[in-house]
Amino acid sequence: MWHVMRRAIAGLAMGALAINFAGCATTQAAQEDGSFGGKGDEQAGSPAPRANTMYGMCRILRAQGKTEQAEVALVGLMSQFPEFSPTYNDLAEIQLDRGRLDDAIHYLSEGLKVAPTDPILQNNAGVCALLKHDYAAALEHFQAAAAVAPYEARYKANIALATGLNGDPEQSKALYEDVVSADAAEHNTQIIKGLLAPQVITPPTD
């Protein structure tokens, strides 16, 4: 059912993307200049490199396909700078790419402990909740993301998706119409209704 859900969600207009999380990094990398990469890190004798610099190297390793090396580096970064939230998102993304949904959820949960208002972490936790078929939890995560970033259309679309999968496809359609065309909203509604419909399993023929 996981792969069925992934394919169906990928067909939604502006819906949650189960494979590719929202964004490459959380908002903290751009905002925490004082804590991670401020003057304190540049003082003579400081043994700790800037968290942003370390994180940038991890991103380069991933871009080069050196996922295992990147993962080791990210775990080290998380240990050294536990409040640097982008690390948790990248580790979760790596785990999800490997099909390890529970491990992805673990990293996102740990990230939300240090950055509960990070909209990307919230959104991606919602995506994982969708894959767990916990639609009520997914809706809460998407609403939390939208509360921080109300301008982000994807979060609004994800609220519509979770609302539909939570058993209210008509309200889902109304919510979709705020961010996509009427035709796209109808398209998404039909996909959601298909996901909600009982699955008919045809026995193999002899």
Side-chain angles (χ1 to χ4, degrees):
M1 184 63 178
W2 179 22
H3 298 294
V4 173
M5 175 67 78
R6 285 172 62 175
R7 287 197 299 270
I9 289 174
L12 291 169
M14 292 283 299
L17 299 179
I19 298 174
N20 298 313
F21 281 2
C24 294
T26 57
T27 55
Q28 189 181 35
Q31 295 175 345
E32 293 289 349
D33 194 48
S35 298
F36 306 107
K39 294 181 179 179
D41 284 335
E42 298 173 357
Q43 292 175 352
S46 175
R50 295 171 55 177
N52 279 328
T53 301
M54 294 173 64
Y55 179 69
M57 292 301 299
C58 295
R59 299 294 302 180
I60 291 172
L61 287 171
R62 290 191 64 192
Q64 294 174 340
K66 300 175 181 178
T67 304
E68 292 185 2
Q69 291 176 253
E71 183 179 13
V72 171
L74 285 165
V75 169
L77 176 57
M78 180 178 62
S79 177
Q80 189 169 358
F81 297 100
E83 295 183 358
F84 188 71
S85 62
T87 309
Y88 300 92
N89 188 68
D90 278 45
L91 285 167
E93 196 172 44
I94 289 172
Q95 297 308 315
L96 192 61
D97 285 344
R98 293 171 174 167
R100 298 174 180 173
L101 179 56
D102 288 338
D103 290 338
I105 291 172
H106 166 74
Y107 281 121
L108 291 171
S109 297
E110 291 300 304
L112 286 171
K113 289 178 183 178
V114 301
T117 60
D118 190 305
I120 293 178
L121 285 175
Q122 287 286 1
N123 179 78
N124 295 344
V127 171
C128 287
L130 285 181
L131 295 175
K132 276 285 192 180
H133 307 291
D134 189 347
Y135 306 132
L139 181 58
E140 290 182 5
H141 283 299
F142 294 143
Q143 288 173 333
V148 178
Y151 51 83
E152 178 57 61
R154 175 172 295 190
Y155 302 157
K156 295 179 181 180
N158 289 349
I159 290 173
L161 171 61
T163 297
L165 293 175
N166 212 30
D168 194 347
E170 295 308 316
Q171 176 62 18
S172 172
K173 182 179 179 180
L175 292 169
Y176 266 125
E177 289 175 345
D178 285 339
V179 290
V180 298
S181 69
D183 287 345
E186 177 62 27
H187 169 76
N188 291 354
T189 302
Q190 293 307 313
I191 290 179
I192 290 169
K193 287 181 177 179
L195 289 170
L196 293 175
Q199 299 295 313
V200 178
I201 301 176
T202 304
T205 58
D206 294 334

